[in-house]
Amino acid sequence: MDIKVDLHTHTVSSGHAYSTLSENALAAARKGIELLGMTDHAPSMPGAPHRYHFGNLAILPEELNGVRILPGVEANITNYEGELDLPIEYLSRMKIVLVGLHEICYPGGTTEQNTKAYIKAMENPYTDMMVHPGRPYFEMDLELIAHMSAQLNIPVEINNSSLSKEKKGAWENCRLIARYMAHYKSPVILGSDAHFWDRVGDLSHSLELVHEAGISEHQVLNTSPARVLEYLATRRKNRPIL
């Protein structure tokens, strides 16, 4: 599978990442990545930038080192209703909106509560893609999430960082949801979740799981910048008019 896209990366602005956008773009270019998401954490994450950071992303160049840049956010689910930690007027300006659960930003709950929160966020018209559902901190109904991904046509991520040696306990959850996504033919995105430039474009663990689970190349958006951009354009057409 020829990977041309990495949509989940962080810069120093996230507070616990250690590279600049320019460094990430150079690393992406060296690895053959043509489309790069800059998705720093939204404000409820400690150390994350103020919402003004997200209001000023329009000043960034469309391309760095021959790599097209998609400035956006990794927004946090904050409650059981799937509400996010950036107002709509900011979300509407993002070129890409990733959404996920993080321990310090979300209270945690039962399997049913966590699943409801995740699916409610999937249903948000300003959400583009859901990230790292396989992390073990929050128990969820992974089959239902894969099913809803297919029904709503919202890609769910196989997160390379979750499968790295620094993280514990995610392989089995990620393996399980990958199998469900193969079964339901859900749209899939692979993300490095890089917090340092040398991990940009590293999707090796994710690809291993894709092949193991039998996910088809057609399901994976990372093979084509054009497919990603077309998908994002369609999402924006379906949003309510502010």
Side-chain angles (χ1 to χ4, degrees):
M1 208 174 287
D2 195 11
I3 299 300
K4 297 295 184 182
V5 178
D6 186 359
L7 296 177
H8 190 170
T9 70
H10 297 272
T11 74
V12 288
S13 295
S14 282
H16 59 280
Y18 307 98
S19 301
T20 65
L21 175 59
S22 294
E23 289 169 332
N24 284 352
L26 181 58
R30 289 173 175 169
K31 293 183 179 180
I33 298 296
E34 298 174 2
L35 183 65
L36 181 70
M38 172 190 167
T39 50
D40 285 309
H41 288 285
S44 65
M45 176 70 70
H50 189 274
R51 64 177 61 173
Y52 285 1
H53 164 92
F54 301 100
N56 199 39
L57 291 177
I59 69 164
L60 295 174
E62 290 188 0
E63 187 176 292
L64 280 171
N65 298 305
V67 177
R68 181 162 179 174
I69 307 299
L70 285 181
V73 64
E74 182 182 4
N76 301 289
I77 299 169
T78 60
N79 57 36
Y80 303 139
E81 296 303 314
E83 293 179 340
L84 307 182
D85 58 344
L86 264 186
I88 288 175
E89 58 264 31
Y90 285 89
L91 293 173
S92 64
R93 301 181 205 172
M94 301 297 99
K95 294 292 180 68
I96 183 168
V97 177
L98 307 183
V99 174
L101 290 168
H102 291 93
E103 286 179 284
I104 206 159
C105 307
Y106 170 77
T110 64
T111 300
E112 292 75 17
Q113 288 170 323
N114 299 336
T115 305
K116 175 186 174 184
Y118 203 81
I119 291 174
K120 282 279 192 180
M122 291 174 76
E123 294 171 338
N124 186 328
Y126 295 92
T127 295
D128 292 317
M129 302 173 186
M130 302 297 296
V131 297
H132 47 65
R135 291 189 178 175
Y137 314 123
F138 307 109
E139 290 188 5
M140 294 192 288
D141 184 338
L142 298 177
E143 182 175 8
L144 181 56
I145 287 169
H147 174 69
M148 291 304 297
S149 167
Q151 293 294 306
L152 297 169
N153 193 37
I154 299 292
V156 174
E157 180 191 54
I158 298 178
N159 183 281
N160 200 75
S161 177
S162 295
L163 303 171
S164 67
K165 63 183 179 181
E166 292 90 353
K167 301 289 195 314
K168 305 295 182 184
W171 263 102
E172 284 310 309
N173 279 349
C174 291
R175 180 175 283 120
L176 188 59
I177 194 168
R179 289 173 179 167
Y180 287 135
M181 291 166 80
H183 173 73
Y184 288 109
K185 303 190 185 308
S186 315
V188 175
I189 193 74
L190 312 181
S192 69
D193 200 356
H195 284 62
F196 191 61
W197 66 262
D198 70 339
R199 299 193 179 193
V200 171
D202 181 3
L203 301 169
S204 53
H205 299 311
S206 297
L207 281 169
E208 180 182 342
L209 205 50
V210 162
H211 294 308
E212 177 189 311
I215 292 172
S216 72
E217 184 170 339
H218 178 72
Q219 291 175 250
V220 180
L221 271 66
N222 299 70
T223 57
S224 169
R227 284 186 65 200
V228 172
L229 296 173
E230 181 181 356
Y231 165 76
L232 293 173
T234 300
R235 289 293 295 167
R236 275 136 193 78
K237 285 180 183 177
N238 293 330
R239 284 177 176 175
I241 298 173
L242 294 179

